[in-house]
Amino acid sequence: MAEQNKESVGASAQVGSPDAGADWTPTPTAKKRSMTFRWIALALWVLAIATEAVGIFWLLRQRVYVGEDGTLVRDPDTGLLEEQGVTATFPQWAFIALIVLLVVIAALSIGGSLLWKKANRLDPAKKSDTVKFFVQNQLGVIIAIIAFVPLIILIFLNKDMDKGQKATAGIIGIALAALAVVFGIDFNPPSVEQYTADQSAVIQLLGKDEVFWVDGGQVYHVCDEVSDIQTGSEIVSGTTAQAVEAGKIRLTLKFESELETCGLPVPENADEITEALRAIQGGQVDTVLPAPVWAEDIEPPITVEDAPAEQE
C-alpha cells in the first residue's frame, strides 16, 4: 500500500500540475450516482424549456374579442380587410395559466439545478479545464436564463394584455427567474484539483488514504476519536473518494488537533499545510501544498520524494 501511495502523490508539487501525481477519481458508485443525477436534471431542464415553448407558442397567443359586431373596412396601406370596433384582449384564464406556468418552469429549473450540483460534488470537473469547469458548474444559471428570458420579454411585448396583466406576470416572471438563477449558481464549486489536494494531504499525514466520518456534516477526519464524530452515529472509515461519495466534500482543517487526539505524529509545519488547504478548498488550486516537515525524532508515516524536474 505504501508503495502505491508513493506513486500517487508528489510531496511538494503544485496542485493540478503534471507533477502532482494521479488525479483524484470518484468511486464507481459515485460516478454512477452522478450520472443518474445529471440525466434526471437534464430531463427536468428539457421539461422546463418545453413548458416555456408552450407558453410562447400557445398560451401567449390566446385572445378574446370584444365588440364582434364591428364593420369591415379596407386598410388602404395593406389592401387587407379589418374589422373596426373589435378589441382583442388576453383572457383571464390564460393569465392565470401563465402564472402557474411560470411557477412550474421555476420548479423544474431549480430541481434540475439542485440535482446537477449534487452530481458535481460526486464527480467534479478539473478547474484547469476552464471552459468545461465553468459550463459544468454554472449550467443551472444558463438553463434558467434560457427558460425564462424569452418568455418574459414576450410577456412585456404582448399587445393583448392590459397593463395590470403585464406588470403582474412580468414581475412574477422576473422574481422567479432570479430565484432560479440563484439556485443555479454554484458559488464555490468543487474541483478535481481540490479533492486531489485533500487526498494528497491525508496520505502524507497518515501514510495511507483512510479517513473517518459520520452522517451529517460536510467534512471527513483523520482520527476516529475526535469529539466531532462522537455523535452516537456509526463511525465509518474509508478512502477520501468514499468519503466524497458519502457527501463529505473536504478534509477537516482541524487535522492538527485530531492527529494529537489519536497520538499520531504532527508535522512541524501543520499551520502552513492548513493555510494551503484552506486556500485550495476555497478555489485557489494553484496554491502549492507543502510537504510535511517532521521532527528529527519522528519517523514519517510515508516518505515521498519530489518528482524530478522536467528536462527542457
Side-chain angles (χ1 to χ4, degrees), residues 2-205:
E3 291 300 320
Q4 293 176 349
N5 290 341
K6 288 181 183 180
E7 295 175 0
S8 66
V9 294
S12 186
Q14 185 171 328
V15 177
S17 72
D19 294 336
D23 288 328
W24 178 93
T25 55
T27 66
T29 302
K31 186 80 173 178
K32 183 178 180 180
R33 285 177 59 199
S34 70
M35 288 299 297
T36 300
F37 287 152
R38 287 196 171 106
W39 279 113
I40 296 173
L42 288 172
L44 293 176
W45 285 338
V46 168
L47 285 174
I49 294 173
T51 304
E52 177 194 31
V54 170
I56 291 174
F57 296 108
W58 178 71
L59 193 55
L60 288 181
R61 295 187 177 186
Q62 299 302 311
R63 58 182 58 84
V64 293
Y65 295 95
V66 179
E68 294 186 15
D69 55 348
T71 57
L72 289 175
V73 294
R74 179 179 178 277
D75 186 340
D77 294 328
T78 64
L80 302 177
L81 300 180
E82 60 182 31
E83 199 169 8
Q84 282 191 337
V86 177
T87 303
T89 61
F90 194 67
Q92 187 64 18
W93 71 264
F95 172 72
I96 295 172
L98 178 60
I99 301 302
V100 173
L101 182 139
L102 289 169
V103 173
V104 170
I105 293 174
L108 292 170
S109 177
I110 291 171
S113 293
L114 293 176
L115 288 173
W116 191 263
K117 284 196 260 189
K118 282 186 177 182
N120 288 340
R121 271 147 183 73
L122 291 169
D123 185 16
K126 288 185 178 181
K127 198 165 187 177
S128 57
D129 191 345
T130 307
V131 175
K132 180 182 178 182
F133 185 79
F134 174 81
V135 172
Q136 179 169 315
N137 287 292
Q138 309 306 336
L139 187 57
V141 178
I142 297 170
I143 296 298
I145 292 172
I146 294 173
F148 273 102
V149 171
L151 181 57
I152 292 172
I153 291 174
L154 290 175
I155 286 173
F156 285 111
L157 294 178
N158 191 289
K159 297 179 179 179
D160 300 323
M161 285 186 180
D162 59 39
K163 291 181 179 180
Q165 288 176 327
K166 283 186 180 182
T168 302
I171 291 172
I172 291 175
I174 291 171
L176 290 173
L179 187 64
V181 166
V182 169
F183 274 97
I185 295 174
D186 199 333
F187 294 96
N188 186 24
S191 65
V192 170
E193 291 90 339
Q194 174 193 326
Y195 288 173
T196 302
D198 286 341
Q199 181 186 59
S200 296
V202 167
I203 293 174
Q204 293 181 90
L205 292 170

